[in-house]
Every structure is written in C-alpha cells, then in structure tokens.
mmCIF file of all heavy atoms in Angstrom:
data_model
loop_
_atom_site.group_PDB
_atom_site.id
_atom_site.type_symbol
_atom_site.label_atom_id
_atom_site.label_comp_id
_atom_site.label_asym_id
_atom_site.label_seq_id
_atom_site.Cartn_x
_atom_site.Cartn_y
_atom_site.Cartn_z
ATOM 1 N N LEU A 1 -45.569 71.752 -44.236
ATOM 2 C CA LEU A 1 -46.561 71.826 -45.316
ATOM 3 C C LEU A 1 -47.656 72.827 -44.979
ATOM 4 O O LEU A 1 -48.119 73.566 -45.883
ATOM 5 C CB LEU A 1 -47.157 70.441 -45.609
ATOM 6 C CG LEU A 1 -46.204 69.433 -46.220
ATOM 7 C CD1 LEU A 1 -46.873 68.070 -46.319
ATOM 8 C CD2 LEU A 1 -45.720 69.900 -47.587
ATOM 9 N N GLU A 2 -48.066 72.898 -43.737
ATOM 10 C CA GLU A 2 -49.090 73.868 -43.348
ATOM 11 C C GLU A 2 -48.547 75.301 -43.529
ATOM 12 O O GLU A 2 -49.258 76.168 -44.019
ATOM 13 C CB GLU A 2 -49.533 73.643 -41.901
ATOM 14 C CG GLU A 2 -50.768 74.413 -41.510
ATOM 15 C CD GLU A 2 -52.016 74.001 -42.290
ATOM 16 O OE1 GLU A 2 -52.379 72.824 -42.298
ATOM 17 O OE2 GLU A 2 -52.638 74.903 -42.891
ATOM 18 N N ARG A 3 -47.313 75.502 -43.143
ATOM 19 C CA ARG A 3 -46.689 76.820 -43.303
ATOM 20 C C ARG A 3 -46.614 77.222 -44.765
ATOM 21 O O ARG A 3 -46.758 78.392 -45.106
ATOM 22 C CB ARG A 3 -45.294 76.792 -42.697
ATOM 23 C CG ARG A 3 -44.613 78.145 -42.610
ATOM 24 C CD ARG A 3 -43.296 78.044 -41.889
ATOM 25 N NE ARG A 3 -43.303 76.763 -41.269
ATOM 26 C CZ ARG A 3 -42.365 76.132 -40.598
ATOM 27 N NH1 ARG A 3 -41.287 76.652 -40.392
ATOM 28 N NH2 ARG A 3 -42.467 74.970 -40.076
ATOM 29 N N GLU A 4 -46.399 76.265 -45.652
ATOM 30 C CA GLU A 4 -46.263 76.533 -47.088
ATOM 31 C C GLU A 4 -47.559 76.318 -47.857
ATOM 32 O O GLU A 4 -47.578 76.362 -49.088
ATOM 33 C CB GLU A 4 -45.168 75.647 -47.692
ATOM 34 C CG GLU A 4 -43.791 75.881 -47.136
ATOM 35 C CD GLU A 4 -43.233 77.273 -47.441
ATOM 36 O OE1 GLU A 4 -43.773 77.971 -48.343
ATOM 37 O OE2 GLU A 4 -42.265 77.672 -46.791
ATOM 38 N N HIS A 5 -48.661 76.135 -47.140
ATOM 39 C CA HIS A 5 -49.924 75.766 -47.794
ATOM 40 C C HIS A 5 -50.358 76.798 -48.851
ATOM 41 O O HIS A 5 -50.787 76.421 -49.937
ATOM 42 C CB HIS A 5 -51.014 75.533 -46.760
ATOM 43 C CG HIS A 5 -52.142 74.684 -47.270
ATOM 44 N ND1 HIS A 5 -53.320 74.566 -46.594
ATOM 45 C CD2 HIS A 5 -52.285 73.943 -48.392
ATOM 46 C CE1 HIS A 5 -54.134 73.764 -47.285
ATOM 47 N NE2 HIS A 5 -53.531 73.389 -48.357
ATOM 48 N N ASP A 6 -50.223 78.070 -48.566
ATOM 49 C CA ASP A 6 -50.590 79.095 -49.560
ATOM 50 C C ASP A 6 -49.709 78.974 -50.820
ATOM 51 O O ASP A 6 -50.201 79.122 -51.935
ATOM 52 C CB ASP A 6 -50.512 80.503 -48.996
ATOM 53 C CG ASP A 6 -51.679 80.821 -48.061
ATOM 54 O OD1 ASP A 6 -52.736 80.135 -48.156
ATOM 55 O OD2 ASP A 6 -51.535 81.740 -47.237
ATOM 56 N N ASN A 7 -48.431 78.717 -50.614
ATOM 57 C CA ASN A 7 -47.530 78.531 -51.762
ATOM 58 C C ASN A 7 -47.937 77.286 -52.562
ATOM 59 O O ASN A 7 -47.952 77.311 -53.792
ATOM 60 C CB ASN A 7 -46.075 78.384 -51.307
ATOM 61 C CG ASN A 7 -45.403 79.705 -51.118
ATOM 62 O OD1 ASN A 7 -45.576 80.617 -51.916
ATOM 63 N ND2 ASN A 7 -44.632 79.828 -50.053
ATOM 64 N N LEU A 8 -48.244 76.217 -51.858
ATOM 65 C CA LEU A 8 -48.639 74.961 -52.520
ATOM 66 C C LEU A 8 -49.932 75.146 -53.294
ATOM 67 O O LEU A 8 -50.057 74.686 -54.438
ATOM 68 C CB LEU A 8 -48.771 73.851 -51.478
ATOM 69 C CG LEU A 8 -47.468 73.484 -50.758
ATOM 70 C CD1 LEU A 8 -47.746 72.691 -49.498
ATOM 71 C CD2 LEU A 8 -46.514 72.750 -51.680
ATOM 72 N N ARG A 9 -50.900 75.837 -52.689
ATOM 73 C CA ARG A 9 -52.161 76.142 -53.389
ATOM 74 C C ARG A 9 -51.899 76.954 -54.650
ATOM 75 O O ARG A 9 -52.475 76.693 -55.696
ATOM 76 C CB ARG A 9 -53.077 76.993 -52.490
ATOM 77 C CG ARG A 9 -53.808 76.253 -51.443
ATOM 78 C CD ARG A 9 -54.710 77.274 -50.718
ATOM 79 N NE ARG A 9 -55.350 76.709 -49.574
ATOM 80 C CZ ARG A 9 -55.111 77.044 -48.307
ATOM 81 N NH1 ARG A 9 -54.220 77.984 -48.013
ATOM 82 N NH2 ARG A 9 -55.739 76.452 -47.332
ATOM 83 N N GLY A 10 -51.076 77.980 -54.500
ATOM 84 C CA GLY A 10 -50.771 78.848 -55.643
ATOM 85 C C GLY A 10 -50.099 78.099 -56.772
ATOM 86 O O GLY A 10 -50.435 78.286 -57.945
ATOM 87 N N ALA A 11 -49.157 77.237 -56.435
ATOM 88 C CA ALA A 11 -48.471 76.467 -57.449
ATOM 89 C C ALA A 11 -49.421 75.499 -58.143
ATOM 90 O O ALA A 11 -49.402 75.361 -59.369
ATOM 91 C CB ALA A 11 -47.307 75.673 -56.825
ATOM 92 N N LEU A 12 -50.280 74.856 -57.373
ATOM 93 C CA LEU A 12 -51.234 73.925 -57.955
ATOM 94 C C LEU A 12 -52.217 74.660 -58.869
ATOM 95 O O LEU A 12 -52.525 74.208 -59.975
ATOM 96 C CB LEU A 12 -51.962 73.138 -56.868
ATOM 97 C CG LEU A 12 -52.874 72.028 -57.317
ATOM 98 C CD1 LEU A 12 -52.185 71.050 -58.259
ATOM 99 C CD2 LEU A 12 -53.417 71.273 -56.114
ATOM 100 N N ALA A 13 -52.696 75.809 -58.423
ATOM 101 C CA ALA A 13 -53.617 76.600 -59.259
ATOM 102 C C ALA A 13 -52.931 77.007 -60.561
ATOM 103 O O ALA A 13 -53.538 76.918 -61.638
ATOM 104 C CB ALA A 13 -54.081 77.856 -58.494
ATOM 105 N N TRP A 14 -51.688 77.416 -60.487
ATOM 106 C CA TRP A 14 -50.949 77.808 -61.688
ATOM 107 C C TRP A 14 -50.787 76.619 -62.631
ATOM 108 O O TRP A 14 -50.968 76.755 -63.836
ATOM 109 C CB TRP A 14 -49.596 78.410 -61.323
ATOM 110 C CG TRP A 14 -48.871 78.918 -62.533
ATOM 111 C CD1 TRP A 14 -49.003 80.145 -63.119
ATOM 112 C CD2 TRP A 14 -47.895 78.207 -63.305
ATOM 113 N NE1 TRP A 14 -48.198 80.217 -64.227
ATOM 114 C CE2 TRP A 14 -47.494 79.059 -64.341
ATOM 115 C CE3 TRP A 14 -47.329 76.934 -63.215
ATOM 116 C CZ2 TRP A 14 -46.548 78.667 -65.299
ATOM 117 C CZ3 TRP A 14 -46.397 76.553 -64.162
ATOM 118 C CH2 TRP A 14 -46.021 77.412 -65.185
ATOM 119 N N LEU A 15 -50.427 75.465 -62.090
ATOM 120 C CA LEU A 15 -50.268 74.260 -62.913
ATOM 121 C C LEU A 15 -51.558 73.909 -63.635
ATOM 122 O O LEU A 15 -51.553 73.591 -64.829
ATOM 123 C CB LEU A 15 -49.776 73.092 -62.067
ATOM 124 C CG LEU A 15 -48.341 73.172 -61.560
ATOM 125 C CD1 LEU A 15 -48.102 72.172 -60.434
ATOM 126 C CD2 LEU A 15 -47.353 72.958 -62.710
ATOM 127 N N VAL A 16 -52.673 73.975 -62.922
ATOM 128 C CA VAL A 16 -53.978 73.657 -63.520
ATOM 129 C C VAL A 16 -54.316 74.694 -64.585
ATOM 130 O O VAL A 16 -54.703 74.349 -65.714
ATOM 131 C CB VAL A 16 -55.086 73.566 -62.443
ATOM 132 C CG1 VAL A 16 -56.460 73.477 -63.078
ATOM 133 C CG2 VAL A 16 -54.835 72.355 -61.538
ATOM 134 N N GLU A 17 -54.185 75.970 -64.257
ATOM 135 C CA GLU A 17 -54.522 77.048 -65.193
ATOM 136 C C GLU A 17 -53.687 77.001 -66.476
ATOM 137 O O GLU A 17 -54.184 77.407 -67.525
ATOM 138 C CB GLU A 17 -54.336 78.408 -64.521
ATOM 139 C CG GLU A 17 -55.369 78.741 -63.480
ATOM 140 C CD GLU A 17 -54.997 79.960 -62.642
ATOM 141 O OE1 GLU A 17 -54.096 80.741 -63.045
ATOM 142 O OE2 GLU A 17 -55.616 80.136 -61.569
ATOM 143 N N HIS A 18 -52.478 76.537 -66.363
ATOM 144 C CA HIS A 18 -51.578 76.504 -67.516
ATOM 145 C C HIS A 18 -51.463 75.135 -68.179
ATOM 146 O O HIS A 18 -50.551 74.889 -68.964
ATOM 147 C CB HIS A 18 -50.213 77.062 -67.132
ATOM 148 C CG HIS A 18 -50.266 78.544 -66.909
ATOM 149 N ND1 HIS A 18 -50.708 79.100 -65.719
ATOM 150 C CD2 HIS A 18 -49.995 79.579 -67.730
ATOM 151 C CE1 HIS A 18 -50.670 80.407 -65.831
ATOM 152 N NE2 HIS A 18 -50.263 80.728 -67.035
ATOM 153 N N GLY A 19 -52.386 74.225 -67.830
ATOM 154 C CA GLY A 19 -52.453 72.943 -68.507
ATOM 155 C C GLY A 19 -51.286 72.015 -68.240
ATOM 156 O O GLY A 19 -51.017 71.119 -69.041
ATOM 157 N N ARG A 20 -50.619 72.168 -67.113
ATOM 158 C CA ARG A 20 -49.499 71.306 -66.755
ATOM 159 C C ARG A 20 -50.041 70.110 -65.990
ATOM 160 O O ARG A 20 -49.938 70.015 -64.771
ATOM 161 C CB ARG A 20 -48.480 72.061 -65.908
ATOM 162 C CG ARG A 20 -47.916 73.344 -66.516
ATOM 163 C CD ARG A 20 -47.090 73.090 -67.733
ATOM 164 N NE ARG A 20 -46.086 74.032 -68.151
ATOM 165 C CZ ARG A 20 -46.127 75.339 -68.239
ATOM 166 N NH1 ARG A 20 -47.155 75.991 -67.801
ATOM 167 N NH2 ARG A 20 -45.118 76.039 -68.732
ATOM 168 N N ALA A 21 -50.634 69.161 -66.732
ATOM 169 C CA ALA A 21 -51.355 68.035 -66.124
ATOM 170 C C ALA A 21 -50.442 67.177 -65.234
ATOM 171 O O ALA A 21 -50.816 66.845 -64.114
ATOM 172 C CB ALA A 21 -52.001 67.175 -67.210
ATOM 173 N N GLU A 22 -49.280 66.819 -65.742
ATOM 174 C CA GLU A 22 -48.425 65.929 -64.948
ATOM 175 C C GLU A 22 -48.035 66.566 -63.607
ATOM 176 O O GLU A 22 -48.154 65.961 -62.546
ATOM 177 C CB GLU A 22 -47.146 65.547 -65.704
ATOM 178 C CG GLU A 22 -46.257 64.651 -64.865
ATOM 179 C CD GLU A 22 -44.985 64.208 -65.574
ATOM 180 O OE1 GLU A 22 -44.835 64.411 -66.785
ATOM 181 O OE2 GLU A 22 -44.121 63.644 -64.862
ATOM 182 N N GLY A 23 -47.596 67.821 -63.644
ATOM 183 C CA GLY A 23 -47.205 68.514 -62.426
ATOM 184 C C GLY A 23 -48.374 68.659 -61.469
ATOM 185 O O GLY A 23 -48.228 68.469 -60.258
ATOM 186 N N ALA A 24 -49.552 68.996 -62.009
ATOM 187 C CA ALA A 24 -50.727 69.174 -61.165
ATOM 188 C C ALA A 24 -51.124 67.860 -60.485
ATOM 189 O O ALA A 24 -51.408 67.837 -59.282
ATOM 190 C CB ALA A 24 -51.904 69.705 -61.982
ATOM 191 N N VAL A 25 -51.145 66.779 -61.246
ATOM 192 C CA VAL A 25 -51.533 65.479 -60.670
ATOM 193 C C VAL A 25 -50.479 65.007 -59.659
ATOM 194 O O VAL A 25 -50.839 64.515 -58.569
ATOM 195 C CB VAL A 25 -51.753 64.439 -61.782
ATOM 196 C CG1 VAL A 25 -51.919 63.040 -61.225
ATOM 197 C CG2 VAL A 25 -52.970 64.822 -62.615
ATOM 198 N N ARG A 26 -49.209 65.196 -59.967
ATOM 199 C CA ARG A 26 -48.172 64.777 -59.021
ATOM 200 C C ARG A 26 -48.245 65.598 -57.734
ATOM 201 O O ARG A 26 -48.153 65.040 -56.629
ATOM 202 C CB ARG A 26 -46.795 64.927 -59.659
ATOM 203 C CG ARG A 26 -46.465 63.836 -60.651
ATOM 204 C CD ARG A 26 -45.130 64.049 -61.331
ATOM 205 N NE ARG A 26 -44.042 64.202 -60.365
ATOM 206 C CZ ARG A 26 -42.867 64.790 -60.667
ATOM 207 N NH1 ARG A 26 -42.642 65.254 -61.893
ATOM 208 N NH2 ARG A 26 -41.936 64.886 -59.759
ATOM 209 N N LEU A 27 -48.427 66.912 -57.853
ATOM 210 C CA LEU A 27 -48.474 67.753 -56.652
ATOM 211 C C LEU A 27 -49.707 67.433 -55.826
ATOM 212 O O LEU A 27 -49.610 67.232 -54.597
ATOM 213 C CB LEU A 27 -48.445 69.239 -57.047
ATOM 214 C CG LEU A 27 -48.469 70.236 -55.897
ATOM 215 C CD1 LEU A 27 -47.335 69.986 -54.906
ATOM 216 C CD2 LEU A 27 -48.375 71.668 -56.458
ATOM 217 N N ALA A 28 -50.864 67.345 -56.456
ATOM 218 C CA ALA A 28 -52.085 67.043 -55.723
ATOM 219 C C ALA A 28 -52.007 65.668 -55.065
ATOM 220 O O ALA A 28 -52.403 65.498 -53.901
ATOM 221 C CB ALA A 28 -53.315 67.143 -56.636
ATOM 222 N N GLY A 29 -51.473 64.700 -55.784
ATOM 223 C CA GLY A 29 -51.336 63.353 -55.228
ATOM 224 C C GLY A 29 -50.402 63.307 -54.029
ATOM 225 O O GLY A 29 -50.644 62.620 -53.050
ATOM 226 N N ALA A 30 -49.318 64.099 -54.100
ATOM 227 C CA ALA A 30 -48.363 64.141 -52.992
ATOM 228 C C ALA A 30 -48.943 64.837 -51.763
ATOM 229 O O ALA A 30 -48.525 64.572 -50.647
ATOM 230 C CB ALA A 30 -47.079 64.823 -53.437
ATOM 231 N N LEU A 31 -49.914 65.732 -51.976
ATOM 232 C CA LEU A 31 -50.480 66.478 -50.864
ATOM 233 C C LEU A 31 -51.728 65.820 -50.237
ATOM 234 O O LEU A 31 -52.201 66.265 -49.185
ATOM 235 C CB LEU A 31 -50.861 67.894 -51.348
ATOM 236 C CG LEU A 31 -49.679 68.792 -51.648
ATOM 237 C CD1 LEU A 31 -50.178 70.087 -52.294
ATOM 238 C CD2 LEU A 31 -48.859 69.087 -50.414
ATOM 239 N N ALA A 32 -52.244 64.770 -50.852
ATOM 240 C CA ALA A 32 -53.501 64.179 -50.397
ATOM 241 C C ALA A 32 -53.464 63.771 -48.926
ATOM 242 O O ALA A 32 -54.388 64.061 -48.168
ATOM 243 C CB ALA A 32 -53.865 62.971 -51.259
ATOM 244 N N ARG A 33 -52.421 63.111 -48.503
ATOM 245 C CA ARG A 33 -52.313 62.671 -47.095
ATOM 246 C C ARG A 33 -52.276 63.871 -46.155
ATOM 247 O O ARG A 33 -52.893 63.870 -45.111
ATOM 248 C CB ARG A 33 -51.075 61.774 -46.927
ATOM 249 C CG ARG A 33 -50.844 61.303 -45.532
ATOM 250 C CD ARG A 33 -51.552 60.028 -45.258
ATOM 251 N NE ARG A 33 -51.138 59.541 -43.937
ATOM 252 C CZ ARG A 33 -51.945 58.894 -43.117
ATOM 253 N NH1 ARG A 33 -53.155 58.614 -43.482
ATOM 254 N NH2 ARG A 33 -51.523 58.499 -41.936
ATOM 255 N N PHE A 34 -51.512 64.908 -46.522
ATOM 256 C CA PHE A 34 -51.470 66.136 -45.716
ATOM 257 C C PHE A 34 -52.853 66.738 -45.583
ATOM 258 O O PHE A 34 -53.279 67.111 -44.481
ATOM 259 C CB PHE A 34 -50.496 67.145 -46.360
ATOM 260 C CG PHE A 34 -50.727 68.564 -45.941
ATOM 261 C CD1 PHE A 34 -50.413 68.974 -44.651
ATOM 262 C CD2 PHE A 34 -51.239 69.482 -46.836
ATOM 263 C CE1 PHE A 34 -50.638 70.290 -44.254
ATOM 264 C CE2 PHE A 34 -51.450 70.807 -46.456
ATOM 265 C CZ PHE A 34 -51.145 71.212 -45.168
ATOM 266 N N TRP A 35 -53.578 66.857 -46.712
ATOM 267 C CA TRP A 35 -54.924 67.429 -46.671
ATOM 268 C C TRP A 35 -55.820 66.621 -45.740
ATOM 269 O O TRP A 35 -56.602 67.177 -44.995
ATOM 270 C CB TRP A 35 -55.523 67.518 -48.067
ATOM 271 C CG TRP A 35 -54.914 68.576 -48.927
ATOM 272 C CD1 TRP A 35 -54.405 69.777 -48.543
ATOM 273 C CD2 TRP A 35 -54.737 68.515 -50.335
ATOM 274 N NE1 TRP A 35 -53.943 70.478 -49.629
ATOM 275 C CE2 TRP A 35 -54.140 69.734 -50.750
ATOM 276 C CE3 TRP A 35 -55.041 67.562 -51.320
ATOM 277 C CZ2 TRP A 35 -53.839 70.016 -52.072
ATOM 278 C CZ3 TRP A 35 -54.743 67.855 -52.647
ATOM 279 C CH2 TRP A 35 -54.142 69.077 -53.027
ATOM 280 N N GLU A 36 -55.706 65.305 -45.820
ATOM 281 C CA GLU A 36 -56.517 64.454 -44.955
ATOM 282 C C GLU A 36 -56.162 64.647 -43.492
ATOM 283 O O GLU A 36 -57.044 64.801 -42.647
ATOM 284 C CB GLU A 36 -56.333 62.987 -45.355
ATOM 285 C CG GLU A 36 -57.159 62.017 -44.548
ATOM 286 C CD GLU A 36 -56.931 60.564 -44.924
ATOM 287 O OE1 GLU A 36 -56.123 60.277 -45.832
ATOM 288 O OE2 GLU A 36 -57.572 59.704 -44.284
ATOM 289 N N MET A 37 -54.886 64.649 -43.182
ATOM 290 C CA MET A 37 -54.437 64.721 -41.786
ATOM 291 C C MET A 37 -54.682 66.083 -41.150
ATOM 292 O O MET A 37 -54.856 66.174 -39.942
ATOM 293 C CB MET A 37 -52.954 64.355 -41.692
ATOM 294 C CG MET A 37 -52.673 62.915 -42.065
ATOM 295 S SD MET A 37 -50.914 62.539 -42.061
ATOM 296 C CE MET A 37 -50.655 62.365 -40.297
ATOM 297 N N HIS A 38 -54.676 67.132 -41.968
ATOM 298 C CA HIS A 38 -54.826 68.480 -41.430
ATOM 299 C C HIS A 38 -56.210 69.081 -41.640
ATOM 300 O O HIS A 38 -56.413 70.281 -41.435
ATOM 301 C CB HIS A 38 -53.742 69.408 -41.987
ATOM 302 C CG HIS A 38 -52.589 69.543 -41.051
ATOM 303 N ND1 HIS A 38 -51.970 70.736 -40.809
ATOM 304 C CD2 HIS A 38 -51.955 68.639 -40.275
ATOM 305 C CE1 HIS A 38 -51.010 70.554 -39.936
ATOM 306 N NE2 HIS A 38 -50.970 69.295 -39.597
ATOM 307 N N GLY A 39 -57.161 68.225 -42.043
ATOM 308 C CA GLY A 39 -58.536 68.677 -42.115
ATOM 309 C C GLY A 39 -58.901 69.534 -43.313
ATOM 310 O O GLY A 39 -59.923 70.214 -43.309
ATOM 311 N N HIS A 40 -58.077 69.514 -44.330
ATOM 312 C CA HIS A 40 -58.359 70.245 -45.572
ATOM 313 C C HIS A 40 -59.057 69.310 -46.582
ATOM 314 O O HIS A 40 -58.716 69.279 -47.759
ATOM 315 C CB HIS A 40 -57.072 70.796 -46.191
ATOM 316 C CG HIS A 40 -56.277 71.680 -45.271
ATOM 317 N ND1 HIS A 40 -56.716 72.927 -44.879
ATOM 318 C CD2 HIS A 40 -55.084 71.492 -44.670
ATOM 319 C CE1 HIS A 40 -55.807 73.467 -44.077
ATOM 320 N NE2 HIS A 40 -54.820 72.613 -43.929
ATOM 321 N N VAL A 41 -60.001 68.554 -46.099
ATOM 322 C CA VAL A 41 -60.599 67.461 -46.882
ATOM 323 C C VAL A 41 -61.382 67.989 -48.085
ATOM 324 O O VAL A 41 -61.152 67.537 -49.206
ATOM 325 C CB VAL A 41 -61.491 66.563 -45.982
ATOM 326 C CG1 VAL A 41 -62.188 65.499 -46.794
ATOM 327 C CG2 VAL A 41 -60.639 65.934 -44.879
ATOM 328 N N ALA A 42 -62.274 68.916 -47.882
ATOM 329 C CA ALA A 42 -63.097 69.422 -49.001
ATOM 330 C C ALA A 42 -62.209 70.126 -50.029
ATOM 331 O O ALA A 42 -62.361 69.914 -51.248
ATOM 332 C CB ALA A 42 -64.173 70.360 -48.494
ATOM 333 N N GLU A 43 -61.288 70.937 -49.557
ATOM 334 C CA GLU A 43 -60.388 71.646 -50.475
ATOM 335 C C GLU A 43 -59.513 70.658 -51.233
ATOM 336 O O GLU A 43 -59.355 70.751 -52.458
ATOM 337 C CB GLU A 43 -59.505 72.621 -49.684
ATOM 338 C CG GLU A 43 -58.487 73.332 -50.558
ATOM 339 C CD GLU A 43 -57.531 74.200 -49.770
ATOM 340 O OE1 GLU A 43 -57.425 74.057 -48.521
ATOM 341 O OE2 GLU A 43 -56.853 75.022 -50.406
ATOM 342 N N GLY A 44 -58.954 69.684 -50.525
ATOM 343 C CA GLY A 44 -58.098 68.699 -51.167
ATOM 344 C C GLY A 44 -58.857 67.911 -52.202
ATOM 345 O O GLY A 44 -58.347 67.645 -53.293
ATOM 346 N N ARG A 45 -60.082 67.535 -51.872
ATOM 347 C CA ARG A 45 -60.909 66.788 -52.837
ATOM 348 C C ARG A 45 -61.122 67.622 -54.096
ATOM 349 O O ARG A 45 -60.961 67.118 -55.213
ATOM 350 C CB ARG A 45 -62.242 66.412 -52.206
ATOM 351 C CG ARG A 45 -63.165 65.694 -53.165
ATOM 352 C CD ARG A 45 -64.461 65.289 -52.525
ATOM 353 N NE ARG A 45 -65.354 64.667 -53.508
ATOM 354 C CZ ARG A 45 -66.465 64.029 -53.199
ATOM 355 N NH1 ARG A 45 -66.831 63.896 -51.951
ATOM 356 N NH2 ARG A 45 -67.217 63.514 -54.153
#
C-alpha cells in the first residue's frame, strides 16, 4: 500500500472530483487502517 500510495491518492482524488461517491467512500474506508498504521493520519482524515 505504501508503494502504491501515490496511485491510491490519485484514484481517490479522481473519484471525488468526478462525483463517484460510492467509490470514494469505499476506497477511503478501506485505506483508513493503513493511514493510521503508517502515520498518514492528517492526510487520511
């Protein structure tokens, strides 16, 4: 996940920008634990 973090950020930004609510919420929800464990707390929030 850390290796793909830029890809994950990009995908999430695209989902948000294009109004894809379900995909954005699912992706962000699935990444929450990773963000917490790897210290990306402010960004994840």
Side-chain angles (χ1 to χ4, degrees):
L1 291 174
E2 192 65 55
R3 188 175 347 175
E4 297 296 344
H5 202 192
D6 285 340
N7 275 319
L8 297 164
R9 282 183 187 113
L12 186 52
W14 184 85
L15 289 165
V16 170
E17 288 168 16
H18 289 81
R20 304 294 204 316
E22 180 180 349
V25 170
R26 284 176 54 201
L27 181 55
L31 290 172
R33 178 88 174 145
F34 159 70
W35 288 327
E36 181 182 0
M37 295 176 79
H38 263 222
H40 303 291
V41 177
E43 177 186 15
R45 178 178 176 168

